[in-house]
Amino acid sequence: MTDVNKPAPDAAGETPAAAVGEVAAAGSPAPTSFLEVRDLRVHFPTDDGLVKSVDGLSFRLEKGKTLGIVGESGSGKSVTSLGIMGLHTAGQYGRRKARISGEIWLNGQELLGADPDEVRKLRGREMSMIFQDPLSALHPYYTIGRQITEAYQVHHDVAKDVARKRAVEMLDRVGIPQPDKRVDSYPHEFSGGMRQRAMIAMSLVNNPELLIADEPTTALDVTVQAQILDLIRDLQKEFGSAVIVITHDLGVVAELADDLLVMYAGRCVERGPAEKVFYEPQHPYTWGLLGSMPRIDRDQTERLIPVKGSPPSLINVPSGCAFHPRCPYADVPEGGVTRTERPELRQVRDGDEHFSACHMAREDRTRIWTEEIAPKL
Ligand SMILES: Nc1ncnc2c1ncn2[C@@H]1O[C@H](COP(=O)(O)OP(=O)(O)O)[C@@H](O)[C@H]1O
Ligand SMILES: [Mg+2]
């Protein structure tokens, strides 16, 4: 017997994400989630053609939760975060205007259609961002204290000494020793790790409800990396904000993220609770990322099952599954479907918020993961 209220399962016995209503389609009513991104597309017209940096990305995030967005360099992670922050404006960084569509809902307000002045007000106050390179975000000629103070005063009508006191408090909070002295230092007088702490202080000075950390530790050595990640985790607990941590290294988000979203060529190929994605990964690309994680108990140069080849051009994304030219299992699904049809995100199991976009039948994926991949990790 068939249940007419239930969408028909596809060949792999899974249900399309849209049919489960996981993230509502663009144009439907305002969501109840704190952050909901619906069918985000960010395309850049260039002389060589249209670069489809982000091409139909949807996800949501609640207050107090951390989402890890993972993917190789060039998969569209930074373009996504700049899109949420409303930083793809015409002429930004001397680049051509991006073509953006979809919806970005933050706290009940849609940002893509909103007045840019409105979004500017939200930036720094409701949402803020930590970049990979603090030197690109900190002004070299102004003291750290002045920059944090000014960031505070943009959103708070307070006297300078009050704002300065707040800056010292924040520097203390992020673990800068002698904050009342270091507040008068210039960025170049800080070490890389200290600069990253200062930038975190600056981005948190207004208690933003959404914090996006884009490769926050990539430029730092391993020990400092761990300290910065601990700091982000502590601050998130303290402030209860929603956090997005963007990284090319799954290891960075292993202990930090509640949910994971794996990006490939501007799209999501797998998303779900972190433990599902780590322990029951469904997509061959996710297997590759797990296989590329450095392991402390092994020789650091040994990568177990690295993803072979390089990411595709986002001007000519491969037909069918964008990952097929690099996928060792492209021929497992019958009929060459991998090369002709784009796989949709599908729910892995009823009741789970775990989705993956792969043409392989679930039994094949489970078998390959448990018998071939997992034993080698
Ligand atoms: N302003 C732009 N104009 C044209 N292409 C861009 C622009 N910004 C980013 N891209 C391209 O979009 C793709 C995704 O970039 P990005 O989001 O920075 O990747 P990553 O995942 O490494 O953060 C890359 O191929 C990049 O070259
Ligand atoms: Mg990036």
Side-chain angles (χ1 to χ4, degrees), residues 44 46 51 53 72-80 95-96 314:
F44 297 98
T46 70
V51 182
S53 300
E72 287 164 299
S73 177
S75 52
K77 306 182 299 296
S78 294
V79 169
T80 301
R95 288 163 165 175
R96 263 183 276 184
L314 296 180

Side-chain angles (χ1 to χ4, degrees), residues 196-209:
Q196 193 56 293
R197 285 173 191 269
M199 187 158 64
I200 294 174
M202 187 160 85
S203 58
L204 292 179
V205 72
N206 295 306
N207 281 346
E209 295 185 276

Side-chain angles (χ1 to χ4, degrees), residues 173 204 227-240 256:
R173 186 61 204 81
L204 292 179
Q227 292 167 357
I228 296 289
L229 293 174
D230 281 348
L231 176 66
I232 293 177
R233 187 175 21 212
D234 290 350
L235 294 170
Q236 190 221 32
K237 283 213 186 91
E238 188 178 326
F239 296 106
L256 204 62

